[in-house]
Amino acid sequence: AQRVTQPEKLLSVFKGAPVELKCNYSYSGSPELFWYVQYSRQRLQLLLRHISRESIKGFTADLNKGETSFHLKKPFAQEEDSAMYYCALQKTSYDKVIFGPGTSLSVIP
Amino acid sequence: DAGVTQSPTHLIKTRGQQVTLRCSPKSGHDTVSWYQQALGQGPQFIFQYYEEEERQRGNFPDRFSGHQFPNYSSELNVNALLLGDSALYLCASSLNSRGLPDEQYFGPGTRLTVT
């Protein structure tokens, strides 16, 4: 069965420091991968998806098929990046989305 | 466009009761997915509705059922409530399209407490 793991429940970094949120998945095929973010008192929203290969709010994520990872990175963390981040996997465009347990990122001023 | 809306915001029920949660998708969207999010966990997929039929289902018992109406709005019904059903229930809508994976737009959720 497909599974998404995020090893860090909590991650604290100082403003201006690099940040990396880890995501590993288990699936033998080529899945669609996403990062969703939930800011305080806001609804869950898509941050970025692998297939678009875009950078959103300075965040990027690279798919490493060999390590089955999709880590989220940003070179310089900002206070407004503090939020809950969820990695998610979808086998195909029509399949269910499987979420990881989430990582709470706190950026210290 | 208010985006995805859900009602009610909060709900308290007793064990054994039944509950109905409602969701209106974002304008232009035709697919609705429901998720259960327990405290401290990521959302767990319950099922997805498209063209008024259940298209996909997660590992949830038959006590969880749903419906989609011709206007694409949807209901989630849970029968014989258990304490473990206490969670935030999220609705997400998307547009069924070929090619790119569907971007899901989430509602604010309904907080269900079972006592």
Side-chain angles (χ1 to χ4, degrees), chain A residues 1 6 9 32-34 36 38 42-47 49 51-52 54 84 86 90-102, chain B residues 2-5 35 37 40-45 48 55-59 88 90 96-108:
Chain A
Q6 294 177 251
K9 221 169 172 55
E32 309 292 354
L33 288 156
F34 310 84
Y36 279 82
Q38 187 166 28
Q42 294 188 28
R43 56 187 70 186
L44 195 59
Q45 58 186 288
L46 179 67
L47 178 62
R49 47 186 156 181
I51 197 167
S52 300
E54 56 198 346
M84 196 73 185
Y86 295 96
Q90 193 176 18
K91 281 197 303 184
T92 68
S93 300
Y94 300 111
D95 209 350
K96 61 186 178 185
V97 179
I98 299 167
F99 284 84
Chain B
V4 180
T5 60
Y35 295 83
Q37 186 173 23
Q41 297 183 23
Q44 300 292 311
F45 178 82
Q48 182 183 82
R55 183 161 72 174
Q56 288 264 335
R57 190 177 180 93
N59 296 324
L88 181 67
L90 296 171
N96 181 58
S97 59
R98 301 191 182 276
L100 286 178
D102 304 336
E103 175 174 352
Q104 302 207 353
Y105 289 78
F106 283 82

Side-chain angles (χ1 to χ4, degrees), chain A residues 8 11 13 18-22 71-74 103 105:
Chain A
E8 303 130 334
L11 183 63
V13 300
V19 60
E20 181 180 50
L21 292 90
K22 291 184 167 54
H71 302 329
L72 184 68
K73 299 176 184 178
K74 185 170 182 176
T103 296
L105 174 65

Side-chain angles (χ1 to χ4, degrees), chain A residues 71-82:
Chain A
H71 302 329
L72 184 68
K73 299 176 184 178
K74 185 170 182 176
F76 308 104
Q78 302 298 314
E79 289 180 64
E80 55 265 30
D81 296 330
S82 295

